Amino acid sequence: MMKPEVKRILANILYPTAALAAVLAVWAIVSAAKDIPILIPQLDRIFAELGGLFSRAEMWRAIVLTAGRVLGSFLLSFAFAAVLAAAGTFFRPLHRFLSPIVTVLQSAPTMAVILLAVVWLDNSEVPLLIGFLICFPLLYNACRSAIDGVDPELVEMAKLYKLRPADRLTGVYIPSVLPAVADGARSAVSLCVKVVIAAEVLAQTKGSIGVEMQAASVMFEIARLMAWTVVAIVMSFVFEGVVSGLKKLWEGRRRWAASR
């Protein structure tokens, strides 16, 4: 009889592998049926372009710089969201003040925000600002929802024992909200990759995946464009994996501490 843990691990490997195989099979079938290599290149051509990218120093520079912009904008938005959401818990007028601002940021068309940022800022600053403006509302709402979902009995107990706000934050709120916030952060960081690259395209940010994608599009090199798309998807998976890994590490340490 297979152990549940082994089943879970196999499922986590087999299902994504099957999904990837299905996508590749569909692409191969469509490419063969259309037989227009310049528009829908064969998979071997895409993988050849992908291998060629990894041999170029400019490719690695673009990946590192784009990843740095994603990480910088995400961490900045996460820090602001966490601090302001926590502060709004103890000072309700702050939350009421921020709510309409967050709603406006969430409702504003991403393309309009990018175009305005292109006019106002240097092209290297645009992706950072866009990543922040897009991720901040998501992370703020995730933090607020997680805080609102904290067990009221724990909150009452903290008040009964007259814990200081800082002790309530570290002893009650953070352990309760972190798993839900991590799930929200995972979605936000994936979105951050997309909007940062989109901002790089419109802002013509030098040394970026976005510019490389646009150059491939202008030259009608679809295979290279698809190769860069694969790179962007892998980057998104890596960032999501880091967030999930940190969450599991924290949960594992909590279980270990509780068992002692």
Side-chain angles (χ1 to χ4, degrees):
M1 190 71 178
M2 191 177 294
K3 294 182 179 179
E5 185 67 19
V6 176
K7 284 185 177 180
R8 185 181 63 82
I9 294 174
L10 288 176
N12 289 340
I13 295 173
L14 291 176
Y15 284 112
T17 303
L20 176 61
V23 171
L24 293 178
V26 170
W27 182 276
I29 292 170
V30 172
S31 178
K34 293 295 184 180
D35 195 23
I36 311 176
I38 193 172
L39 293 179
I40 310 176
Q42 293 282 354
L43 290 175
D44 58 346
R45 178 59 181 163
I46 295 174
F47 286 121
E49 285 287 350
L50 188 60
L53 291 182
F54 282 102
S55 64
R56 293 170 48 207
E58 297 85 355
M59 178 266 195
W60 290 106
R61 180 172 179 270
I63 289 177
V64 170
L65 291 176
T66 295
R69 295 182 189 104
V70 171
L71 185 61
S73 58
F74 174 77
L75 291 178
L76 189 63
S77 58
F78 185 86
F80 270 85
V83 170
L84 291 175
T89 300
F90 300 106
F91 186 61
R92 299 296 296 184
L94 176 62
H95 172 59
R96 296 191 184 97
F97 171 77
L98 289 173
S99 290
I101 297 176
V102 171
T103 301
V104 169
L105 290 177
Q106 248 183 329
S107 304
T110 303
M111 189 60 65
V113 176
I114 294 176
L115 292 174
L116 287 172
V118 168
V119 174
W120 292 335
L121 301 175
D122 183 78
N123 60 6
S124 63
E125 298 170 343
V126 173
L128 287 170
L129 176 65
I130 298 305
F132 173 83
L133 292 178
I134 297 301
C135 287
F136 172 75
L138 297 176
L139 291 170
Y140 179 83
N141 286 331
C143 291
R144 282 298 315 168
S145 297
I147 291 172
D148 291 340
V150 174
D151 188 350
E153 292 184 0
L154 290 176
V155 178
E156 288 299 323
M157 188 179 296
K159 292 179 180 178
L160 181 64
Y161 285 96
K162 297 181 180 180
L163 294 181
R164 295 177 302 170
D167 293 330
R168 287 189 221 173
L169 184 64
T170 57
V172 176
Y173 284 102
I174 289 180
S176 299
V177 307
L178 201 55
V181 170
D183 291 337
R186 182 181 173 186
S187 300
V189 75
S190 180
L191 179 61
C192 190
V193 173
K194 298 177 185 178
V195 297
V196 164
I197 291 177
E200 289 174 343
V201 172
L202 290 179
Q204 287 292 284
T205 306
K206 294 181 180 178
S208 67
I209 291 178
V211 163
E212 294 288 348
M213 282 183 167
Q214 187 183 39
S217 176
V218 170
M219 299 300 293
F220 223 68
E221 296 177 344
I222 306 303
R224 177 167 294 187
L225 177 59
M226 293 302 300
W228 277 111
T229 302
V230 171
V231 171
I233 292 172
V234 170
M235 179 182 292
S236 180
F237 279 136
V238 168
F239 277 116
E240 285 188 24
V242 170
V243 174
S244 297
L246 290 174
K247 177 187 175 183
K248 290 180 180 179
L249 179 62
W250 181 81
E251 289 176 340
R253 292 192 65 178
R254 283 206 72 192
R255 286 194 296 266
W256 175 78
S259 65
R260 295 193 65 185

